[in-house]
Amino acid sequence: MADPTAPLPEDAKQWTAKLRKVAEDAFPPSKLLPDRQPAYVASWIYVFGVLTLASLSFVILTGIVLALGGPSWWHTSSTGLFVNSLHLWSVEFFFFFMVVHLWGKFFMAAWRGKRQLTWITGVVSFLISVGAAFTGYLSQQNFDSQWIATQAKDGINATGAGSFFNVMNFGQMLMWHITLLPLGVVALVGLHVLMVRHRGVVPPFDRDGEVQNTGGRDGASSRRELSGEELAESSAGNAEAAVASRSGGDD
Amino acid sequence: MLVKIDPFVAVFNLSDPGRYIHWGFIQISLGNLVVILVMVVVFVAAILVPFRRDEGKDG
């Protein structure tokens, strides 16, 4: 029986068909979720991107639990205080891992090989994360948050930025913290990961030009490293990848 | 004399005012400085410590 959802040739000019083709060309399943990574990924420095993502998952998960309980719960209940602490410490680890990831990618010049958008989405998501953390500290509802809010208000007043973003307005800061900024972080981190999958993990300097399509031309992975000659071929357009690592590391 | 030890007490006294390091125009809290130094140590270790490879198997 024919698949009723299979695309028809006469529909090829529709925008849905065109968009689907662009998405399928940019992100074939073997690229989106590869089984193997290039051999050079077998280094601890490549692990910090995934550690950052794991921390972000904890931040979001604990944030959702805090939102369910509300401020009176996280201030008075021992479980609430525990989840509140988990939220704080996952943020601390998130920034710790993200900074080490940033240093590693900076010294690798990870924007090489048409990876500018990967780099830029990483930088901007870092900056938005700083804002998200800042509004989080303002939302603590304790003396610490009052101190931070008044100091920040002085600082922002000194820049002449006005009061649209009013750090002493608790409701506004809480809304920024739990809706706008997390949406920005998640959207940009999602785009960042997609770009990593699209362009591949940046190779070391001495293997620049290596093709990063870990799925290979037809989805079949090679299990060996490329020789110098093969590297030259690969940079000339041969999409056979150098995949020799079973590591779970990622960008 | 027996001393009662609370297992949940903080290693450092967190109720005291924070300690700050001054170096010229640079002022940083001791806690932040420690975190930055740990990040540097972890960064260097991530580059130097060998990553375990499953050499016995292909790939």
Side-chain angles (χ1 to χ4, degrees), chain B residues 12-13 16-22 27-33:
Chain B
F12 300 100
N13 186 355
D16 280 350
R19 290 187 214 168
Y20 284 81
I21 310 286
H22 299 270
Q27 174 183 305
I28 187 170
S29 72
L30 183 61
N32 281 343
L33 181 63

mmCIF file of all heavy atoms in Angstrom, chain B residues 12-13 16-22 27-33:
data_model
loop_
_atom_site.group_PDB
_atom_site.id
_atom_site.type_symbol
_atom_site.label_atom_id
_atom_site.label_comp_id
_atom_site.label_asym_id
_atom_site.label_seq_id
_atom_site.Cartn_x
_atom_site.Cartn_y
_atom_site.Cartn_z
ATOM 1 N N PHE B 12 33.913 26.234 55.452
ATOM 2 C CA PHE B 12 34.330 27.617 55.695
ATOM 3 C C PHE B 12 33.177 28.359 56.354
ATOM 4 O O PHE B 12 32.010 28.041 56.112
ATOM 5 C CB PHE B 12 34.690 28.311 54.381
ATOM 6 C CG PHE B 12 35.801 27.641 53.652
ATOM 7 C CD1 PHE B 12 35.533 26.794 52.582
ATOM 8 C CD2 PHE B 12 37.122 27.821 54.045
ATOM 9 C CE1 PHE B 12 36.557 26.162 51.917
ATOM 10 C CE2 PHE B 12 38.145 27.194 53.376
ATOM 11 C CZ PHE B 12 37.865 26.357 52.307
ATOM 12 N N ASN B 13 33.526 29.323 57.194
ATOM 13 C CA ASN B 13 32.498 30.133 57.833
ATOM 14 C C ASN B 13 31.900 31.089 56.798
ATOM 15 O O ASN B 13 32.546 32.038 56.360
ATOM 16 C CB ASN B 13 33.110 30.925 58.994
ATOM 17 C CG ASN B 13 32.040 31.669 59.765
ATOM 18 O OD1 ASN B 13 30.861 31.660 59.375
ATOM 19 N ND2 ASN B 13 32.436 32.295 60.862
ATOM 20 N N ASP B 16 30.874 35.152 57.828
ATOM 21 C CA ASP B 16 31.806 36.275 57.920
ATOM 22 C C ASP B 16 31.753 37.121 56.645
ATOM 23 O O ASP B 16 31.368 36.627 55.593
ATOM 24 C CB ASP B 16 33.239 35.744 58.097
ATOM 25 C CG ASP B 16 33.501 35.336 59.541
ATOM 26 O OD1 ASP B 16 32.639 35.642 60.384
ATOM 27 O OD2 ASP B 16 34.529 34.702 59.798
ATOM 28 N N PRO B 17 32.157 38.384 56.745
ATOM 29 C CA PRO B 17 32.270 39.197 55.523
ATOM 30 C C PRO B 17 33.261 38.561 54.551
ATOM 31 O O PRO B 17 34.213 37.905 54.983
ATOM 32 C CB PRO B 17 32.795 40.544 56.040
ATOM 33 C CG PRO B 17 32.474 40.560 57.491
ATOM 34 C CD PRO B 17 32.497 39.138 57.950
ATOM 35 N N GLY B 18 33.016 38.728 53.252
ATOM 36 C CA GLY B 18 33.886 38.119 52.257
ATOM 37 C C GLY B 18 35.303 38.671 52.305
ATOM 38 O O GLY B 18 35.527 39.810 52.724
ATOM 39 N N ARG B 19 36.265 37.842 51.896
ATOM 40 C CA ARG B 19 37.661 38.305 51.852
ATOM 41 C C ARG B 19 37.987 38.747 50.435
ATOM 42 O O ARG B 19 37.598 38.095 49.479
ATOM 43 C CB ARG B 19 38.609 37.172 52.250
ATOM 44 C CG ARG B 19 38.523 36.819 53.713
ATOM 45 C CD ARG B 19 39.600 35.814 54.032
ATOM 46 N NE ARG B 19 39.142 34.875 55.048
ATOM 47 C CZ ARG B 19 39.776 33.770 55.365
ATOM 48 N NH1 ARG B 19 40.883 33.454 54.727
ATOM 49 N NH2 ARG B 19 39.319 32.968 56.298
ATOM 50 N N TYR B 20 38.709 39.829 50.330
ATOM 51 C CA TYR B 20 39.024 40.395 49.015
ATOM 52 C C TYR B 20 40.533 40.518 48.834
ATOM 53 O O TYR B 20 41.265 40.786 49.789
ATOM 54 C CB TYR B 20 38.350 41.757 48.837
ATOM 55 C CG TYR B 20 36.872 41.629 48.557
ATOM 56 C CD1 TYR B 20 35.973 41.421 49.603
ATOM 57 C CD2 TYR B 20 36.372 41.665 47.256
ATOM 58 C CE1 TYR B 20 34.618 41.259 49.355
ATOM 59 C CE2 TYR B 20 35.026 41.516 47.003
ATOM 60 C CZ TYR B 20 34.157 41.314 48.052
ATOM 61 O OH TYR B 20 32.811 41.147 47.798
ATOM 62 N N ILE B 21 40.971 40.320 47.602
ATOM 63 C CA ILE B 21 42.377 40.480 47.256
ATOM 64 C C ILE B 21 42.516 41.814 46.518
ATOM 65 O O ILE B 21 41.751 42.087 45.581
ATOM 66 C CB ILE B 21 42.849 39.342 46.309
ATOM 67 C CG1 ILE B 21 42.457 37.969 46.862
ATOM 68 C CG2 ILE B 21 44.338 39.450 46.022
ATOM 69 C CD1 ILE B 21 43.260 37.502 48.031
ATOM 70 N N HIS B 22 43.466 42.605 46.926
ATOM 71 C CA HIS B 22 43.717 43.892 46.260
ATOM 72 C C HIS B 22 45.085 43.843 45.592
ATOM 73 O O HIS B 22 46.067 43.448 46.213
ATOM 74 C CB HIS B 22 43.692 45.040 47.279
ATOM 75 C CG HIS B 22 42.379 45.172 47.973
ATOM 76 N ND1 HIS B 22 41.358 45.964 47.509
ATOM 77 C CD2 HIS B 22 41.906 44.589 49.099
ATOM 78 C CE1 HIS B 22 40.320 45.871 48.315
ATOM 79 N NE2 HIS B 22 40.633 45.038 49.289
ATOM 80 N N GLN B 27 40.558 44.382 42.191
ATOM 81 C CA GLN B 27 40.000 43.886 43.451
ATOM 82 C C GLN B 27 39.095 42.711 43.129
ATOM 83 O O GLN B 27 38.218 42.808 42.273
ATOM 84 C CB GLN B 27 39.210 44.990 44.146
ATOM 85 C CG GLN B 27 38.484 44.499 45.395
ATOM 86 C CD GLN B 27 37.662 45.597 46.022
ATOM 87 O OE1 GLN B 27 38.172 46.659 46.333
ATOM 88 N NE2 GLN B 27 36.370 45.358 46.199
ATOM 89 N N ILE B 28 39.344 41.586 43.769
ATOM 90 C CA ILE B 28 38.556 40.393 43.478
ATOM 91 C C ILE B 28 38.347 39.625 44.771
ATOM 92 O O ILE B 28 39.233 39.595 45.634
ATOM 93 C CB ILE B 28 39.261 39.519 42.407
ATOM 94 C CG1 ILE B 28 38.359 38.354 41.985
ATOM 95 C CG2 ILE B 28 40.615 39.014 42.881
ATOM 96 C CD1 ILE B 28 38.870 37.604 40.769
ATOM 97 N N SER B 29 37.166 39.033 44.897
ATOM 98 C CA SER B 29 36.906 38.261 46.115
ATOM 99 C C SER B 29 37.709 36.967 46.058
ATOM 100 O O SER B 29 37.982 36.439 44.970
ATOM 101 C CB SER B 29 35.414 37.955 46.244
ATOM 102 O OG SER B 29 35.035 36.988 45.301
ATOM 103 N N LEU B 30 38.074 36.483 47.222
ATOM 104 C CA LEU B 30 38.883 35.264 47.292
ATOM 105 C C LEU B 30 38.143 34.099 46.635
ATOM 106 O O LEU B 30 38.736 33.296 45.909
ATOM 107 C CB LEU B 30 39.205 34.949 48.755
ATOM 108 C CG LEU B 30 40.109 33.738 48.992
ATOM 109 C CD1 LEU B 30 41.464 33.945 48.341
ATOM 110 C CD2 LEU B 30 40.273 33.475 50.482
ATOM 111 N N GLY B 31 36.815 34.039 46.867
ATOM 112 C CA GLY B 31 36.020 32.955 46.269
ATOM 113 C C GLY B 31 36.077 32.964 44.763
ATOM 114 O O GLY B 31 36.292 31.926 44.119
ATOM 115 N N ASN B 32 35.893 34.153 44.163
ATOM 116 C CA ASN B 32 35.945 34.250 42.699
ATOM 117 C C ASN B 32 37.322 33.903 42.165
ATOM 118 O O ASN B 32 37.451 33.238 41.130
ATOM 119 C CB ASN B 32 35.558 35.673 42.247
ATOM 120 C CG ASN B 32 34.059 35.881 42.275
ATOM 121 O OD1 ASN B 32 33.300 34.918 42.316
ATOM 122 N ND2 ASN B 32 33.635 37.127 42.262
ATOM 123 N N LEU B 33 38.364 34.346 42.892
ATOM 124 C CA LEU B 33 39.737 34.048 42.451
ATOM 125 C C LEU B 33 39.985 32.536 42.471
ATOM 126 O O LEU B 33 40.567 31.980 41.525
ATOM 127 C CB LEU B 33 40.743 34.764 43.359
ATOM 128 C CG LEU B 33 42.213 34.566 42.987
ATOM 129 C CD1 LEU B 33 42.512 35.140 41.609
ATOM 130 C CD2 LEU B 33 43.127 35.197 44.029
#
